Amino acid sequence: MRIYCEKDYNAMSRRAAAIIAAQVVSKPDCVLGLATGSTPIGAYQQLVKWYQQGDLSFAQVRSVNLDEYVGLAPTHDQSYRYFMQHNLFDHVDIVPENTNVPSGLAPDAGLECARYEDVVKALGYADLQLLGLGRNGHIGFNEPCDHFPVATHLVDLTQSTIEANARFFASADDVPKQALTMGIGTIMRARSILVVASGADKADAVAKTVAGPVTPEVPASILQLHPNVTIIGDEAALSGLK
Ligand code: F6R
């Protein structure tokens, strides 16, 4: 694992954006695995800036997102499809048909998971997978449990995740209780993985990810077994590391 400690959120975002941009420049038709949540927003803003300056093009990029809430339409302002449109896709030259997010409205979640897994597989999995980190060590919506789920699947969100995400909704009751997420196997097949973490509330999860035992109780701990992982955190998020 390579670990970069940046002084604050802006520096973290800039370095993350630089690594994503390097991937796009070196392989213009790469498959980017993308994440939502508050942590990657600064990196997406930086990528948009470089695109606007003419320094970066997403014209050939294909993208696969990690996850989506069950029951939210793509137009719902808390859906992950909406997030991606609003924070990145609408502002760069990525071809809409080349962007993939699981459908939260599919009538049969099991079929949608199988379809999505096939999409990611047909693309050859991600060249670079961007990940945020849950306070409980989740990646995608792979919550702590007794095994590492392999493929894209339906999950019941834990109370801690519902409470963490309630800040984006009118109340915790409005947070969807289920999501579709790439599995740990889907994520681990990415050729490189970039984790971004910001703030003291991630310090414990970062420490367990980097130096704790590999256990499905801390899903991100499996990244210790991946050959090409970069973690970029600000000082607060890395404060639990020696
Ligand atoms: C988002 C995702 C989640 C978030 C995680 C951290 O697509 O899969 O795992 O990355 O919950 O969220 P933030 O960045 O909001 O702290």
Side-chain angles (χ1 to χ4, degrees), residues 53-69:
Q53 291 165 5
D55 292 328
L56 194 60
S57 169
F58 294 81
Q60 297 178 61
V61 167
R62 284 83 49 79
S63 74
V64 286
N65 261 81
L66 281 168
D67 42 17
E68 179 60 284
Y69 285 119

PDB file of all heavy atoms in Angstrom, residues 53-69:
ATOM      1  N   GLN A  53     -10.042  23.513 -18.620  1.00  0.00           N
ATOM      2  CA  GLN A  53      -8.820  24.172 -19.108  1.00  0.00           C
ATOM      3  C   GLN A  53      -8.273  23.504 -20.358  1.00  0.00           C
ATOM      4  O   GLN A  53      -7.278  23.941 -20.925  1.00  0.00           O
ATOM      5  CB  GLN A  53      -7.736  24.131 -18.018  1.00  0.00           C
ATOM      6  CG  GLN A  53      -8.033  25.010 -16.815  1.00  0.00           C
ATOM      7  CD  GLN A  53      -7.132  24.664 -15.629  1.00  0.00           C
ATOM      8  OE1 GLN A  53      -6.229  23.826 -15.736  1.00  0.00           O
ATOM      9  NE2 GLN A  53      -7.379  25.298 -14.504  1.00  0.00           N
ATOM     10  N   GLY A  54      -8.884  22.387 -20.766  1.00  0.00           N
ATOM     11  CA  GLY A  54      -8.411  21.676 -21.960  1.00  0.00           C
ATOM     12  C   GLY A  54      -7.282  20.709 -21.678  1.00  0.00           C
ATOM     13  O   GLY A  54      -6.622  20.219 -22.600  1.00  0.00           O
ATOM     14  N   ASP A  55      -7.038  20.423 -20.394  1.00  0.00           N
ATOM     15  CA  ASP A  55      -5.920  19.546 -20.048  1.00  0.00           C
ATOM     16  C   ASP A  55      -6.307  18.078 -19.924  1.00  0.00           C
ATOM     17  O   ASP A  55      -5.441  17.229 -19.722  1.00  0.00           O
ATOM     18  CB  ASP A  55      -5.300  20.006 -18.711  1.00  0.00           C
ATOM     19  CG  ASP A  55      -4.610  21.349 -18.858  1.00  0.00           C
ATOM     20  OD1 ASP A  55      -4.078  21.618 -19.942  1.00  0.00           O
ATOM     21  OD2 ASP A  55      -4.624  22.133 -17.882  1.00  0.00           O
ATOM     22  N   LEU A  56      -7.582  17.780 -20.008  1.00  0.00           N
ATOM     23  CA  LEU A  56      -8.026  16.412 -19.750  1.00  0.00           C
ATOM     24  C   LEU A  56      -9.295  16.151 -20.554  1.00  0.00           C
ATOM     25  O   LEU A  56     -10.152  17.030 -20.670  1.00  0.00           O
ATOM     26  CB  LEU A  56      -8.342  16.308 -18.245  1.00  0.00           C
ATOM     27  CG  LEU A  56      -8.525  14.940 -17.616  1.00  0.00           C
ATOM     28  CD1 LEU A  56      -7.265  14.098 -17.773  1.00  0.00           C
ATOM     29  CD2 LEU A  56      -8.834  15.106 -16.116  1.00  0.00           C
ATOM     30  N   SER A  57      -9.394  14.940 -21.121  1.00  0.00           N
ATOM     31  CA  SER A  57     -10.623  14.570 -21.828  1.00  0.00           C
ATOM     32  C   SER A  57     -11.088  13.199 -21.357  1.00  0.00           C
ATOM     33  O   SER A  57     -10.286  12.274 -21.161  1.00  0.00           O
ATOM     34  CB  SER A  57     -10.383  14.532 -23.339  1.00  0.00           C
ATOM     35  OG  SER A  57     -11.502  13.935 -23.975  1.00  0.00           O
ATOM     36  N   PHE A  58     -12.404  13.096 -21.187  1.00  0.00           N
ATOM     37  CA  PHE A  58     -13.018  11.823 -20.776  1.00  0.00           C
ATOM     38  C   PHE A  58     -13.764  11.195 -21.946  1.00  0.00           C
ATOM     39  O   PHE A  58     -14.578  10.295 -21.760  1.00  0.00           O
ATOM     40  CB  PHE A  58     -13.999  12.073 -19.617  1.00  0.00           C
ATOM     41  CG  PHE A  58     -13.340  12.545 -18.352  1.00  0.00           C
ATOM     42  CD1 PHE A  58     -12.992  13.888 -18.191  1.00  0.00           C
ATOM     43  CD2 PHE A  58     -13.056  11.662 -17.321  1.00  0.00           C
ATOM     44  CE1 PHE A  58     -12.379  14.335 -17.036  1.00  0.00           C
ATOM     45  CE2 PHE A  58     -12.439  12.092 -16.155  1.00  0.00           C
ATOM     46  CZ  PHE A  58     -12.101  13.438 -16.017  1.00  0.00           C
ATOM     47  N   ALA A  59     -13.454  11.664 -23.182  1.00  0.00           N
ATOM     48  CA  ALA A  59     -14.257  11.277 -24.345  1.00  0.00           C
ATOM     49  C   ALA A  59     -14.285   9.766 -24.574  1.00  0.00           C
ATOM     50  O   ALA A  59     -15.260   9.228 -25.081  1.00  0.00           O
ATOM     51  CB  ALA A  59     -13.742  11.991 -25.591  1.00  0.00           C
ATOM     52  N   GLN A  60     -13.198   9.092 -24.190  1.00  0.00           N
ATOM     53  CA  GLN A  60     -13.171   7.635 -24.420  1.00  0.00           C
ATOM     54  C   GLN A  60     -13.314   6.825 -23.131  1.00  0.00           C
ATOM     55  O   GLN A  60     -13.300   5.597 -23.162  1.00  0.00           O
ATOM     56  CB  GLN A  60     -11.847   7.248 -25.085  1.00  0.00           C
ATOM     57  CG  GLN A  60     -11.632   7.861 -26.460  1.00  0.00           C
ATOM     58  CD  GLN A  60     -10.262   7.450 -26.986  1.00  0.00           C
ATOM     59  OE1 GLN A  60      -9.983   6.270 -27.166  1.00  0.00           O
ATOM     60  NE2 GLN A  60      -9.403   8.423 -27.199  1.00  0.00           N
ATOM     61  N   VAL A  61     -13.425   7.516 -22.005  1.00  0.00           N
ATOM     62  CA  VAL A  61     -13.477   6.818 -20.713  1.00  0.00           C
ATOM     63  C   VAL A  61     -14.804   6.081 -20.560  1.00  0.00           C
ATOM     64  O   VAL A  61     -15.853   6.566 -20.975  1.00  0.00           O
ATOM     65  CB  VAL A  61     -13.309   7.842 -19.553  1.00  0.00           C
ATOM     66  CG1 VAL A  61     -13.675   7.237 -18.204  1.00  0.00           C
ATOM     67  CG2 VAL A  61     -11.886   8.388 -19.534  1.00  0.00           C
ATOM     68  N   ARG A  62     -14.745   4.891 -19.977  1.00  0.00           N
ATOM     69  CA  ARG A  62     -15.950   4.182 -19.554  1.00  0.00           C
ATOM     70  C   ARG A  62     -15.966   4.210 -18.029  1.00  0.00           C
ATOM     71  O   ARG A  62     -14.889   4.137 -17.412  1.00  0.00           O
ATOM     72  CB  ARG A  62     -15.933   2.720 -20.042  1.00  0.00           C
ATOM     73  CG  ARG A  62     -16.236   2.508 -21.531  1.00  0.00           C
ATOM     74  CD  ARG A  62     -15.077   2.694 -22.475  1.00  0.00           C
ATOM     75  NE  ARG A  62     -13.839   2.007 -22.135  1.00  0.00           N
ATOM     76  CZ  ARG A  62     -13.595   0.703 -22.338  1.00  0.00           C
ATOM     77  NH1 ARG A  62     -14.517  -0.051 -22.898  1.00  0.00           N
ATOM     78  NH2 ARG A  62     -12.433   0.165 -22.009  1.00  0.00           N
ATOM     79  N   SER A  63     -17.132   4.309 -17.427  1.00  0.00           N
ATOM     80  CA  SER A  63     -17.165   4.362 -15.960  1.00  0.00           C
ATOM     81  C   SER A  63     -18.169   3.369 -15.392  1.00  0.00           C
ATOM     82  O   SER A  63     -19.184   3.062 -16.013  1.00  0.00           O
ATOM     83  CB  SER A  63     -17.510   5.777 -15.484  1.00  0.00           C
ATOM     84  OG  SER A  63     -18.869   6.043 -15.699  1.00  0.00           O
ATOM     85  N   VAL A  64     -17.813   2.866 -14.221  1.00  0.00           N
ATOM     86  CA  VAL A  64     -18.722   1.997 -13.472  1.00  0.00           C
ATOM     87  C   VAL A  64     -18.774   2.515 -12.041  1.00  0.00           C
ATOM     88  O   VAL A  64     -17.733   2.684 -11.403  1.00  0.00           O
ATOM     89  CB  VAL A  64     -18.251   0.523 -13.486  1.00  0.00           C
ATOM     90  CG1 VAL A  64     -18.497  -0.095 -14.851  1.00  0.00           C
ATOM     91  CG2 VAL A  64     -16.780   0.347 -13.119  1.00  0.00           C
ATOM     92  N   ASN A  65     -19.954   2.810 -11.563  1.00  0.00           N
ATOM     93  CA  ASN A  65     -20.071   3.267 -10.176  1.00  0.00           C
ATOM     94  C   ASN A  65     -20.247   2.102  -9.223  1.00  0.00           C
ATOM     95  O   ASN A  65     -20.693   1.029  -9.610  1.00  0.00           O
ATOM     96  CB  ASN A  65     -21.230   4.258 -10.029  1.00  0.00           C
ATOM     97  CG  ASN A  65     -20.734   5.671 -10.025  1.00  0.00           C
ATOM     98  OD1 ASN A  65     -20.466   6.233 -11.093  1.00  0.00           O
ATOM     99  ND2 ASN A  65     -20.566   6.252  -8.842  1.00  0.00           N
ATOM    100  N   LEU A  66     -19.874   2.362  -7.995  1.00  0.00           N
ATOM    101  CA  LEU A  66     -19.900   1.301  -6.992  1.00  0.00           C
ATOM    102  C   LEU A  66     -21.299   0.861  -6.597  1.00  0.00           C
ATOM    103  O   LEU A  66     -21.529  -0.318  -6.356  1.00  0.00           O
ATOM    104  CB  LEU A  66     -19.249   1.822  -5.699  1.00  0.00           C
ATOM    105  CG  LEU A  66     -17.747   1.881  -5.610  1.00  0.00           C
ATOM    106  CD1 LEU A  66     -17.347   2.704  -4.387  1.00  0.00           C
ATOM    107  CD2 LEU A  66     -17.179   0.481  -5.511  1.00  0.00           C
ATOM    108  N   ASP A  67     -22.225   1.829  -6.497  1.00  0.00           N
ATOM    109  CA  ASP A  67     -23.458   1.466  -5.795  1.00  0.00           C
ATOM    110  C   ASP A  67     -24.594   2.451  -6.077  1.00  0.00           C
ATOM    111  O   ASP A  67     -24.386   3.518  -6.680  1.00  0.00           O
ATOM    112  CB  ASP A  67     -23.194   1.378  -4.283  1.00  0.00           C
ATOM    113  CG  ASP A  67     -22.306   2.506  -3.744  1.00  0.00           C
ATOM    114  OD1 ASP A  67     -22.157   3.526  -4.431  1.00  0.00           O
ATOM    115  OD2 ASP A  67     -21.768   2.355  -2.640  1.00  0.00           O
ATOM    116  N   GLU A  68     -25.777   2.065  -5.634  1.00  0.00           N
ATOM    117  CA  GLU A  68     -26.962   2.922  -5.759  1.00  0.00           C
ATOM    118  C   GLU A  68     -27.966   2.512  -4.691  1.00  0.00           C
ATOM    119  O   GLU A  68     -28.055   1.343  -4.310  1.00  0.00           O
ATOM    120  CB  GLU A  68     -27.588   2.762  -7.164  1.00  0.00           C
ATOM    121  CG  GLU A  68     -28.837   3.582  -7.430  1.00  0.00           C
ATOM    122  CD  GLU A  68     -28.630   5.101  -7.290  1.00  0.00           C
ATOM    123  OE1 GLU A  68     -28.550   5.566  -6.126  1.00  0.00           O
ATOM    124  OE2 GLU A  68     -28.595   5.803  -8.310  1.00  0.00           O
ATOM    125  N   TYR A  69     -28.711   3.497  -4.193  1.00  0.00           N
ATOM    126  CA  TYR A  69     -29.785   3.219  -3.242  1.00  0.00           C
ATOM    127  C   TYR A  69     -30.948   2.529  -3.943  1.00  0.00           C
ATOM    128  O   TYR A  69     -31.312   2.919  -5.074  1.00  0.00           O
ATOM    129  CB  TYR A  69     -30.332   4.523  -2.667  1.00  0.00           C
ATOM    130  CG  TYR A  69     -29.449   5.206  -1.649  1.00  0.00           C
ATOM    131  CD1 TYR A  69     -28.961   6.480  -1.880  1.00  0.00           C
ATOM    132  CD2 TYR A  69     -29.142   4.594  -0.440  1.00  0.00           C
ATOM    133  CE1 TYR A  69     -28.182   7.141  -0.935  1.00  0.00           C
ATOM    134  CE2 TYR A  69     -28.362   5.240   0.507  1.00  0.00           C
ATOM    135  CZ  TYR A  69     -27.893   6.507   0.249  1.00  0.00           C
ATOM    136  OH  TYR A  69     -27.131   7.143   1.194  1.00  0.00           O
TER     137      TYR A  69
END
